[in-house]
Amino acid sequence: MLHSVFFTDTPDHIVFGDGNTWQSLIGESVLLWIVHCLVLRGVQTAAGINKLATFAKLVPLGLFIVLAVIAFRWDTFHLDFTGVELGVPVWQQVKDTMLITLWVFIGIEGAVVVSARARRRKDVGLATMFAVVSALSIYICVTLLSMGVVARPELAEMRNPSMATLMVNLIGGSGEIIIAAGLIVSVCGAYLSWTIMAAEVPFIAALHGSFPSPFKKQNANNTPSTSLWMTNCAVQLALVLIWLSGSNYNTLLTIASEMILVPYFLVGAFLVKTALRLKKPALLGVGMVAALYGLWLIYASGLLNLLLSVVLYAPGILVFLYALQNREIKTTLHFVEWTIIALLLAGAVPALWYLVR
């Protein structure tokens, strides 16, 4: 996505491609380790930088929304509103876009992941709700207003980032520069947040005894350094595999989205269990909706994508088994749990073959 803002590729001259060329591998690796160094300086320092990035990326988004409102045409927006010309029912259109829709909301649980570092716990819930409402409002405005600026078929043919092309239609060539700059800041800021969250999860797991104790280690800046090193080394390996296999950004997007579906379902299911124990009907209703929605997301994404996600679950299971063998986890696995672990590890073999073939 970041490479696409430079507009260096043409049909006859591919430089960055879909993130699977050697040039893109170098660029991705440089960004990876720059962010790594920033996070090592301290989570609070990285969070401060991300705060500035958030304000910076809201400027081009706000400008686009204002200009799109001015240029909005109802006739253009209402043209083939239900997508009849696509020959696909509306419900099928919704199902087919669920992974993309889910992708844009992955990360709203980030406030919960780093909640241990919050000064006041009640701010965590407020931050999560504010993030959901803000992101949803911006996505609705950008998506719907775009369809009132140009017709849907024309919008579908635009290359990423399509907002840059729309801004060119609105204010000329400078619009492309504004959106490109905003996208660079946005992607780098988002990646910084993701790195913090990805390093925090194994650290918290180690504190609760689910991961080996070395993941508890923090540096002088209170950054979970071991967890961060292991996470980013795994990311670097994934980037190399993407380059070797010739896969693209959409493959990573699909697998990453699929990875979060099972945890989302399990969170809903656990809420149902908790509500039944506490005998709270309102909480039970929320849990049921969340669990059923999680199941529907897994169905909508397809079983093939679920199988591919096993490739990334398998290393985590091996780390868990290592901690279990060294008696760092004070629990006993039953036959059913061992069977599920064996099936997941076995499923990783054909899934990995499918990815690299």
Side-chain angles (χ1 to χ4, degrees), residues 281-345:
L283 197 62
L284 178 61
V286 174
M288 289 292 293
V289 172
L292 291 174
Y293 182 60
L295 283 175
W296 188 80
L297 286 174
I298 294 174
Y299 159 74
S301 64
L303 294 180
L304 176 60
N305 293 326
L306 185 62
L307 176 64
L308 295 180
S309 68
V310 176
V311 174
L312 300 182
Y313 278 119
I317 292 174
L318 294 177
V319 173
F320 174 82
L321 293 177
Y322 173 81
L324 184 66
Q325 183 181 14
N326 288 278
R327 302 182 184 278
E328 297 182 35
I329 300 177
K330 298 178 180 180
T331 187
T332 302
L333 298 182
H334 302 291
F335 175 76
V336 174
E337 294 165 327
W338 280 112
T339 302
I340 294 174
I341 288 176
L343 290 174
L344 288 174
L345 293 177

Side-chain angles (χ1 to χ4, degrees), residues 31-174:
L31 176 62
L32 169 66
W33 295 108
I34 288 176
V35 171
H36 175 87
C37 293
L38 284 175
V39 177
L40 278 178
R41 293 173 63 99
V43 172
Q44 297 298 333
T45 300
I49 296 173
N50 186 55
K51 188 184 298 183
L52 294 175
T54 300
F55 284 116
K57 67 186 179 184
L58 287 177
V59 174
L61 286 173
L63 177 61
F64 173 82
I65 290 173
V66 171
L67 294 174
V69 168
I70 298 173
F72 186 87
R73 297 192 301 267
W74 176 255
D75 292 340
T76 302
F77 177 75
H78 196 261
L79 179 66
D80 191 28
F81 187 76
T82 58
V84 174
E85 292 184 1
L86 295 174
V88 181
V90 175
W91 68 267
Q92 184 66 36
Q93 296 177 41
V94 173
K95 177 178 176 293
D96 292 343
T97 58
M98 280 316 301
L99 272 183
I100 301 298
T101 305
L102 178 69
W103 169 252
V104 300
F105 287 101
I106 290 178
I108 59 173
E109 69 278 5
V112 178
V113 174
V114 294
S115 60
R117 301 178 184 273
R119 294 178 181 176
R120 296 182 301 175
R121 288 297 178 91
K122 68 178 184 180
D123 291 341
V124 176
L126 291 174
T128 302
M129 289 303 300
F130 180 74
V132 173
V133 173
S134 300
L136 182 61
S137 301
I138 292 173
Y139 281 125
I140 289 176
C141 289
V142 170
T143 302
L144 295 183
L145 290 174
S146 297
M147 298 176 69
V149 176
V150 299
R152 180 194 54 75
E154 182 182 348
L155 186 63
E157 294 297 324
M158 292 182 180
R159 58 163 293 175
N160 285 325
S162 56
M163 190 186 292
T165 306
L166 288 171
M167 282 290 278
V168 171
N169 294 338
L170 293 173
I171 60 174
S174 59

Side-chain angles (χ1 to χ4, degrees), residues 122-288:
K122 68 178 184 180
D123 291 341
V124 176
L126 291 174
T128 302
M129 289 303 300
F130 180 74
V132 173
V133 173
S134 300
L136 182 61
S137 301
I138 292 173
Y139 281 125
I140 289 176
C141 289
V142 170
T143 302
L144 295 183
L145 290 174
S146 297
M147 298 176 69
V149 176
V150 299
R152 180 194 54 75
E154 182 182 348
L155 186 63
E157 294 297 324
M158 292 182 180
R159 58 163 293 175
N160 285 325
S162 56
M163 190 186 292
T165 306
L166 288 171
M167 282 290 278
V168 171
N169 294 338
L170 293 173
I171 60 174
S174 59
E176 188 174 67
I177 298 175
I178 293 173
I179 296 300
L183 186 59
I184 291 172
V185 173
S186 177
V187 172
C188 291
Y191 186 64
L192 181 61
S193 299
W194 268 99
T195 302
I196 294 173
M197 192 165 68
E200 197 77 10
V201 171
F203 171 69
I204 295 174
L207 292 179
H208 287 82
S210 298
F211 260 38
S213 55
F215 284 91
K216 298 179 184 178
K217 183 180 178 181
Q218 294 179 285
N219 63 11
N221 298 316
N222 293 323
T223 298
S225 52
T226 301
S227 177
L228 182 64
W229 276 102
M230 291 293 292
T231 298
N232 284 338
C233 285
V235 172
Q236 183 67 74
L237 177 61
L239 293 176
V240 173
L241 290 176
I242 288 293
W243 170 58
L244 292 175
S245 65
S247 300
N248 55 37
Y249 171 79
N250 289 329
T251 303
L252 285 177
L253 183 151
T254 300
I255 296 176
S257 299
E258 188 73 39
M259 287 288 294
I260 203 66
L261 296 186
V262 176
Y264 276 1
F265 164 70
L266 293 177
V267 167
F270 183 76
L271 185 58
V272 171
K273 177 182 177 181
T274 303
L276 289 173
R277 178 171 54 84
L278 299 177
K279 297 181 180 179
K280 292 186 175 181
L283 197 62
L284 178 61
V286 174
M288 289 292 293

